[in-house]
Amino acid sequence: MKGEEARQRRKEGRTRNGERSRHKAKSKGKHRDSRVGSQEAEDVSLHAQQKLLAEEKAAMAKSREESAVAICLQVLLPYLLAGLGMVLAGMVLDYVQHWDVFRTITEVFILVPALVGLKGNLEMTLASRLSTAANTGQMDDAQKQWKMATCNLALIQVQATVVGLLAAVAAVILGAISKGSVELSQAAVLCASSVTTAFIAALSLDMKYLSPLICAVFIVMIPLWVAIAKQSPSLAEVLKSGWQPVIVAMSISSIGGLILDKTVTDPNFEGMAVFTPVINGVGGNLVAIQASRISTFLHFWSMPGVLPYKMRQNWPNPCTTFFSSEVNSKSARVLFLLVIPGHLVFLYTIHLLQGGHTSLSFTFVMLYLTAALLQVGILLYMADLIVRLMWRKALDPDNFSIPYLTALGDLLGTGFLAVCFRLVWLVHGADMNLGN
């Protein structure tokens, strides 16, 4: 009996142990299943959040998607006002080209495209940065708005001073190559005029120490602007790596200035002074708008280094740029179609103001409009190309693309305009109606 009782106890113990182990296994399985289930739930939740975010972005983009008419209405008034401003700038240049300072130091004309191009290198780049920040929600807070504005203004002060002086150095070098000599007093005037105004530069012809003093004052102020700009981390990075585009752009614009310097004093090219700021300014304004729009699109839809699906082509062809259904292609068509009516308004304004020293013959107007269309068409395609290239290299197109594009616009505009005047002279010869 005792043996049977012992066997029975062992059997009951094994039964209890088996039940306990099965219970533990079940609890472990439940715990594992709960962990897997919670992980799957987290994955599903994350996927749902990402999907919801993408849907919200798509809905926001769809609500923001603009028609061609809406784009035209937004661009038209600033485009006309800026163009009329360039007309007045051309009239001023057409008038002051007869001053003694411009006759004595013809290298000043080399500075004109480079200094006018600073609005593309600096102000348009600033506008593009602010536009992207506003569209991506970085300027919703008033304190952030104030900080971004002050830091950006300090940054362009630094860049304007440095690039202005470098433009003067480039003008001196190019003038020395063409003339074979350098005069230090004239070099000082060029440096002063690059950071102040032509009026102060003209005064410095008779004041020995004024030009170096002006340059010294602006140089001494550079550390102050640097300290203010460094308060923004993104702009501190621009201070380190953002010099290449503005310096290269200044060099490209200086080549256009060399063309202007060689043609503005030639009787066969009278009128270059008044038309150069107009054709260069209009082309630069239009391509800056397009580059800014593409950059904002990329910041909204993708991360630097990766092109979104809608812009998957690394090297788009002109048909993609101008004739696809994408919103950037739509804006390119609108901007291209604004060229002819805008330039006709500007040409008529110049005619009313009796500027240019030449009659607006049918031949000249047709050649001028053809040159403007070629310039803007090339620039809009290059904008699509360069912005994609910068984005693939993880560079911010707001800082790196616009300087190159506006400088290219200065070079193309000045070159095409010189060709126009040459062709008009070949067609009409001595019969061109020149006036004072």
Side-chain angles (χ1 to χ4, degrees), residues 107-161:
E107 289 86 353
V108 173
F109 290 108
I110 299 177
L111 279 175
V112 171
L115 294 181
V116 172
L118 281 181
K119 71 175 175 40
N121 297 349
L122 305 180
E123 280 80 4
M124 286 185 179
T125 302
L126 167 63
S128 184
R129 283 198 299 265
L130 295 179
S131 173
T132 297
N135 280 278
T136 53
Q138 300 176 36
M139 294 182 65
D140 295 339
D141 182 54
Q143 186 176 0
K144 291 181 180 178
Q145 293 175 7
W146 176 253
K147 183 178 179 180
M148 183 165 290
T150 54
C151 292
N152 273 284
L153 289 175
L155 172 65
I156 65 172
Q157 287 295 331
V158 177
Q159 292 179 325
T161 304

Side-chain angles (χ1 to χ4, degrees), residues 231-252:
Q231 295 179 7
S232 172
S234 61
L235 296 184
E237 182 63 28
V238 175
L239 276 172
K240 296 178 182 178
S241 60
W243 291 100
Q244 179 185 344
V246 293
I247 293 174
V248 173
M250 178 271 299
S251 303
I252 296 172

Side-chain angles (χ1 to χ4, degrees), residues 317-378:
N317 56 59
C319 292
T320 304
T321 302
F322 291 101
F323 302 110
S324 68
S325 59
E326 297 178 6
V327 63
N328 294 322
S329 178
K330 186 189 299 179
S331 62
R333 290 194 296 271
V334 171
L335 296 174
F336 186 76
L337 292 175
L338 285 174
V339 173
I340 290 181
H343 273 294
L344 287 175
V345 172
F346 306 143
L347 289 174
Y348 184 67
T349 304
I350 293 173
H351 175 69
L352 287 179
L353 297 176
Q354 298 179 353
H357 299 279
T358 184
S359 61
L360 295 180
S361 65
F362 178 80
T363 305
F364 174 78
V365 172
M366 289 298 102
L367 290 173
Y368 179 88
L369 293 178
T370 302
L373 286 173
L374 279 175
Q375 178 207 30
V376 174
I378 293 171

Side-chain angles (χ1 to χ4, degrees), residues 22 124 152 163 165 169 218 229 282 331 380-381:
R22 283 194 297 274
M124 286 185 179
N152 273 284
V163 177
L165 292 174
V169 172
F218 279 93
V282 170
S331 62
L380 292 175
Y381 175 67

Side-chain angles (χ1 to χ4, degrees), residues 135-396:
N135 280 278
T136 53
Q138 300 176 36
M139 294 182 65
D140 295 339
D141 182 54
Q143 186 176 0
K144 291 181 180 178
Q145 293 175 7
W146 176 253
K147 183 178 179 180
M148 183 165 290
T150 54
C151 292
N152 273 284
L153 289 175
L155 172 65
I156 65 172
Q157 287 295 331
V158 177
Q159 292 179 325
T161 304
V162 175
V163 177
L165 292 174
L166 290 177
V169 172
V172 171
I173 294 173
L174 292 174
I177 293 174
S178 61
K179 288 183 175 181
S181 63
V182 177
E183 293 187 23
L184 294 180
S185 61
Q186 295 184 3
V189 173
L190 287 172
C191 291
S193 65
S194 66
V195 291
T196 54
T197 63
F199 177 73
I200 296 177
L203 287 179
S204 64
L205 281 173
D206 300 319
M207 300 179 67
K208 184 177 179 181
Y209 300 105
L210 180 59
S211 296
L213 180 61
I214 292 170
C215 297
V217 168
F218 279 93
I219 291 173
V220 167
M221 293 179 68
I222 288 178
L224 172 64
W225 305 130
V226 170
I228 296 174
K230 277 189 173 181
Q231 295 179 7
S232 172
S234 61
L235 296 184
E237 182 63 28
V238 175
L239 276 172
K240 296 178 182 178
S241 60
W243 291 100
Q244 179 185 344
V246 293
I247 293 174
V248 173
M250 178 271 299
S251 303
I252 296 172
S253 296
S254 296
I255 299 174
L258 185 61
I259 297 173
L260 179 62
D261 180 39
K262 294 298 181 184
T263 56
V264 76
T265 54
D266 189 334
N268 295 325
F269 291 87
E270 280 197 278
M272 279 289 295
V274 71
F275 293 110
T276 297
V278 178
I279 192 169
N280 291 352
V282 170
N285 292 340
L286 292 177
V287 75
I289 293 171
Q290 180 68 358
S292 179
R293 291 180 65 92
I294 299 174
S295 177
T296 301
F297 179 87
L298 290 172
H299 278 93
F300 187 81
W301 282 106
S302 184
M303 297 293 292
V306 181
L307 288 171
Y309 178 75
K310 293 181 179 181
M311 297 179 66
R312 60 190 180 278
Q313 287 183 315
N314 291 333
W315 302 95
N317 56 59
C319 292
T320 304
T321 302
F322 291 101
F323 302 110
S324 68
S325 59
E326 297 178 6
V327 63
N328 294 322
S329 178
K330 186 189 299 179
S331 62
R333 290 194 296 271
V334 171
L335 296 174
F336 186 76
L337 292 175
L338 285 174
V339 173
I340 290 181
H343 273 294
L344 287 175
V345 172
F346 306 143
L347 289 174
Y348 184 67
T349 304
I350 293 173
H351 175 69
L352 287 179
L353 297 176
Q354 298 179 353
H357 299 279
T358 184
S359 61
L360 295 180
S361 65
F362 178 80
T363 305
F364 174 78
V365 172
M366 289 298 102
L367 290 173
Y368 179 88
L369 293 178
T370 302
L373 286 173
L374 279 175
Q375 178 207 30
V376 174
I378 293 171
L379 288 176
L380 292 175
Y381 175 67
M382 292 302 297
D384 199 9
L385 201 63
I386 291 176
V387 170
R388 292 177 192 236
L389 177 63
M390 296 299 173
W391 191 261
R392 284 206 317 274
K393 293 182 177 294
L395 299 174
D396 190 349

